[in-house]
């Protein structure tokens, strides 16, 4: 009798165990309101509507959609904001239409030097690379710096040597990044430089992403070839944490524009600082910094920003900014021009 009792107790215990293994785990605290959001950009610049062919526009929009989906599918499956921004940026790095990875602009010597950075808000971890020449996905290397080195930012030959030590980092010859379109842009920039014209609009097509995941965490990432015709190892804002990329517990930003002005004005950090310290609404903070602080200093460009409530801001003053977004309510969009 006693052994029967023991047996049945055992059976109940096993059954309970089996149930708890199969049954869905307790929902995470925030599962009732799994607010996720994602915003990406493919760079600010000056593109006359008439000069963008219907095919080019459709192809750029399709790339933005694919990048958005790559990030969104991670967020929808409960993945991290960090994984989502990296995935979205990798899609845009692989597209020849954007100034990051394949399709990066040419420097003055006719080569490519690539910059990227990534930041996770709630941990304040960050990684960045500058002036890399053979790394197919600079954003992936930036994340590797964050996760597998004690440093935040590696540049030039040192960054290449670090990449050598990481077999998972794919390498390509520098001319793999070449495109005819960017070569024509270099020729034009060199003609403009010869007559002393300011390099307005010689940035174009930098890419970035900011995401909010189900756990309420924010991450931001930016990747670029920098400015056409750049010399002397010039490094822009994109790999500079606080200038081109920032994420904290409540806010994240990825910038695009004339990088010197973004560095001088710590644009990405300033937007989030206004939210944190002054309680500004995200949209007001982003608008003020991009469309007043940067322009008053003589610069131009745009930014994407996202806060912990899933609010999204996408200000720019350069005529165009390739961008796409998914809000917490699931509404989504892709846009290039001001409308
Ligand atoms: N901000 C980048 C730089 O100055 C360029 C861009 O946004 O397109 O390097």
């Amino acid at each position: 009798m006693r052994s029967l009792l023991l047996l049945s107790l055992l059976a109940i215990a096993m059954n309970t165990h089996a149930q708890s293994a199969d049954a869905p785990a307790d929902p995470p605290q925030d599962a009732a309101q799994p607010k996720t959001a994602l915003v990406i950009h493919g760079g600010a610049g000056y593109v006359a509507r008439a000069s963008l062919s219907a095919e080019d526009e459709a192809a750029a929009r399709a790339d933005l959609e694919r990048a958005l989906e790559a990030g969104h599918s991670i967020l929808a499956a409960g993945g991290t904001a960090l994984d989502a921004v990296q995935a979205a940026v990798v899609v845009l790095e692989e597209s020849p239409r954007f100034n990051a990875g394949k399709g990066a602009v040419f420097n003055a010597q006719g080569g490519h030097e690539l910059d990227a950075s990534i930041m996770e808000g709630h941990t304040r971890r960050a990684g960045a690379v500058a002036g890399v020449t053979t790394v197919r996905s600079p954003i992936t290397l930036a994340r590797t710096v964050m996760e597998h080195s004690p440093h935040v930012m590696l540049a030039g030959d040192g960054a290449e040597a670090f990449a050598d030590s990481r077999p998972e980092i794919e390498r390509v010859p520098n001319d793999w990044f070449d495109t005819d379109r960017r070569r024509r842009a270099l020729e034009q920039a060199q003609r403009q430089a010869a007559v002393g014209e300011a390099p307005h609009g010689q940035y174009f097509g930098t890419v970035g992403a900011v995401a909010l995941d189900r756990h309420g965490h924010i991450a931001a990432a930016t990747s670029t070839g920098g400015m056409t015709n750049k010399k002397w190892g010039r490094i822009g804002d994109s790999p500079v944490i606080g200038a081109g990329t920032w994420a904290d517990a409540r806010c994240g930003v990825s910038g695009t524009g004339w990088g010197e002005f973004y560095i001088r004005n710590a644009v990405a950090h300033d937007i989030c600082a206004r939210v944190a310290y002054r309680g500004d609404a995200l949209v007001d903070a982003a608008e003020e910094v991009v469309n007043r602080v940067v322009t008053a200093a003589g610069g131009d460009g745009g930014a994407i920003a996202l806060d912990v409530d899933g609010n999204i801001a996408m200000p720019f003053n350069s005529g165009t900014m390739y961008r796409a977004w998914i809000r917490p309510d699931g509404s989504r969009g892709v846009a290039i021009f001001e409308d």
Side-chain angles (χ1 to χ4, degrees):
M1 183 67 185
R2 185 179 291 169
S3 56
L4 230 168
L5 189 68
L6 267 175
L7 260 178
S8 40
L9 277 175
L10 196 67
I12 291 169
M14 282 175 66
N15 194 29
T16 314
H17 179 74
Q19 267 182 7
S20 65
D22 289 342
D26 278 346
Q29 275 185 343
D30 48 4
Q33 283 180 312
K35 262 189 194 169
T36 68
L38 177 64
V39 56
I40 65 174
H41 71 78
Y46 297 88
V47 189
R49 204 180 273 265
S51 74
L52 189 66
S53 73
E55 293 82 47
D56 281 345
E57 180 172 343
R61 284 174 174 275
D63 285 343
L64 288 166
E65 280 284 4
R66 278 193 307 113
L68 195 68
E69 204 38 57
H72 176 64
S73 60
I74 289 170
L75 296 173
T80 64
L82 193 64
D83 284 342
V85 293
Q86 182 186 359
V89 165
V90 166
V91 170
L92 298 174
E93 285 179 334
E94 287 292 305
S95 164
R97 290 171 198 287
F98 300 96
N99 174 18
K102 177 76 183 170
V105 297
F106 285 91
N107 63 18
Q109 294 75 41
H112 307 276
E113 294 159 307
L114 310 174
D115 303 334
S117 65
I118 192 163
M119 186 167 189
E120 183 179 59
H122 68 295
T123 58
R124 297 274 179 120
R125 292 191 304 163
V129 293
V132 295
T133 53
T134 67
V135 174
R136 180 167 176 157
S137 171
I139 200 65
T140 302
L141 185 61
R143 180 161 177 184
T144 308
V145 170
M146 176 176 107
E147 290 180 333
H148 299 286
S149 90
H151 306 301
V152 169
M153 189 178 201
L154 302 178
D157 291 346
E160 294 284 328
F162 174 69
D164 292 344
S165 76
R166 303 296 313 181
E168 74 275 23
I169 297 297
E170 191 176 344
R171 314 298 281 278
V172 289
N174 192 249
D175 62 6
W176 181 84
F177 300 107
D178 288 6
T179 51
D180 291 343
R181 183 167 154 243
R182 297 299 186 197
R183 198 177 288 286
R184 289 195 297 275
L186 174 64
E187 287 158 8
Q188 190 191 344
Q190 291 182 330
R191 281 195 298 273
Q192 286 175 328
V195 296
E197 267 180 42
H200 280 286
Q202 282 173 18
Y203 53 79
F204 182 68
T206 288
V207 310
V210 189
L212 168 69
D213 67 28
R214 228 180 242 190
H215 316 285
H217 298 154
I218 293 173
T222 311
S223 183
T224 188
M227 286 176 93
T228 303
N229 200 29
K230 64 186 182 180
K231 309 186 222 186
W232 305 312
R234 180 264 186 192
I235 294 169
D237 59 309
S238 306
V240 177
I241 295 299
T245 302
W246 178 258
D248 58 35
R250 302 195 54 80
C251 171
V253 174
S254 169
T256 167
W258 190 346
E260 279 67 11
F261 292 89
Y262 280 61
I263 295 173
R264 289 182 189 125
N265 293 287
V267 163
H269 181 263
D270 191 16
I271 292 172
C272 291
R274 285 165 188 257
V275 172
Y277 304 148
R278 273 204 335 203
D280 286 7
L282 180 84
V283 176
D284 297 340
E287 175 69 26
E288 180 76 19
V289 174
V290 170
N291 286 334
R292 292 206 225 302
V293 176
V294 170
T295 50
D300 53 2
I304 54 170
L306 178 76
D307 72 14
V308 74
D309 297 317
N311 295 305
I312 287 174
M314 300 173 281
F316 60 100
N317 50 56
S318 48
T320 58
M321 185 168 76
Y322 288 77
R323 58 204 189 276
W325 62 92
I326 300 187
R327 297 186 192 277
D329 66 4
S331 61
R332 57 165 79 197
V334 178
I336 299 173
F337 300 99
E338 262 154 22
D339 43 43

